Amino acid sequence: MSRAYAKILLRIAKGRGKDVSPLVLSISEFKREDENLRKSLDALLKSKGRCVVEDVAYTIFPERLWQMAQGDRAKLFCYYKMAFPAYQAMNRKVNGRGLYFERMMMYGRGPCDGNQLEYMLSQYEGRDGIRDSMMQVTTFDPERDHTPSAQLGFPCLQHVTFVPTKSGLVLNAFYATQQIFDKAYGNYLGLKQLGEFMAHEMRMPFVRLNVTVGVAKLERISKTDVGLIPVIAAAEAAINKPEDLGTAGQSLHVAETVN
């Protein structure tokens, strides 16, 4: 995951412009994160007053609550429902429209009181041969999110789908746009954790994460910002580690924008 982020960051930081469209990322091996890259990025995020990687990941999957629940998803959902008002109150400006995991399990309507994850899991556990199209979760809601606002920070993640295969569970995520500097690494970490949670509940390994982004943007920081220097150096080191060269199962496709 660290190497995948490093490739994207370097492609944009050293390429033309600050956007790539589209971006298609596929990861099938989840080794330990590159500690130097993660620390360098977190340090820069803190210095710019942005959320660190773990906090961004938490918006997609509350890993700490899952650990507290000790493998009991009913407790996880209960804990999150109790905690969500506090999460929203911590930063009403940013979280006022909701959080991704909240939309997944507290959508506001639908079966299981709007808990899309529970509905999928209960259907999967209850019978054989459920249709593939059932295994999807939406975070975008036209009723709430189609507004004329010039900028709307949430939701950029539109929906995710889950595909059980003979090898294990595949998660597909679809973004309209993605902020590469302050959100992308945390997005990938949160999606990985969400995939691992769902795979655990479906009693299979989590084997692949696919992310499709309409427009990936390096915004809120200049490409010449001196703070990026150690992050870029860590990214270059991450993808050039001898033990990682030739690793199979990872691919990245980006097409240059015409802007």
Side-chain angles (χ1 to χ4, degrees), residues 53-179:
V53 168
E54 182 179 358
D55 290 344
V56 174
Y58 202 87
T59 65
I60 296 175
F61 186 74
E63 181 72 11
R64 294 190 299 276
L65 292 186
W66 178 232
Q67 293 172 355
M68 290 171 55
Q70 298 181 332
D72 185 333
R73 75 171 185 260
K75 286 185 178 180
L76 167 66
F77 296 146
C78 180
Y79 292 162
Y80 192 86
K81 281 187 176 181
M82 291 189 296
F84 176 71
Y87 296 154
Q88 205 166 35
M90 286 178 187
N91 195 333
R92 181 67 61 174
K93 181 179 179 181
V94 174
N95 299 336
R97 298 182 57 80
L99 296 168
Y100 290 117
F101 194 73
E102 174 255 343
R103 289 279 180 104
M104 293 179 195
M105 60 154 287
M106 299 163 61
Y107 192 74
R109 57 191 185 274
C112 294
D113 293 326
N115 190 333
Q116 301 175 78
L117 299 175
E118 178 59 33
Y119 178 72
M120 282 191 306
L121 291 171
S122 62
Q123 291 294 308
Y124 182 82
E125 293 169 341
R127 56 194 174 95
D128 294 330
I130 65 171
R131 67 181 192 277
D132 292 338
S133 62
M134 184 183 292
M135 303 295 289
Q136 58 181 311
V137 173
T138 186
T139 55
F140 182 84
D141 182 358
E143 184 178 346
R144 290 177 279 183
D145 302 324
H146 271 161
T147 77
S149 301
Q151 290 188 331
L152 201 65
F154 174 91
C156 294
L157 173 64
Q158 305 296 291
H159 70 282
V160 298
T161 70
F162 302 92
V163 183
T165 72
K166 292 181 179 180
S167 300
L169 185 66
V170 176
L171 187 157
N172 303 298
F174 302 87
Y175 284 81
T177 63
Q178 188 173 68
Q179 298 291 338

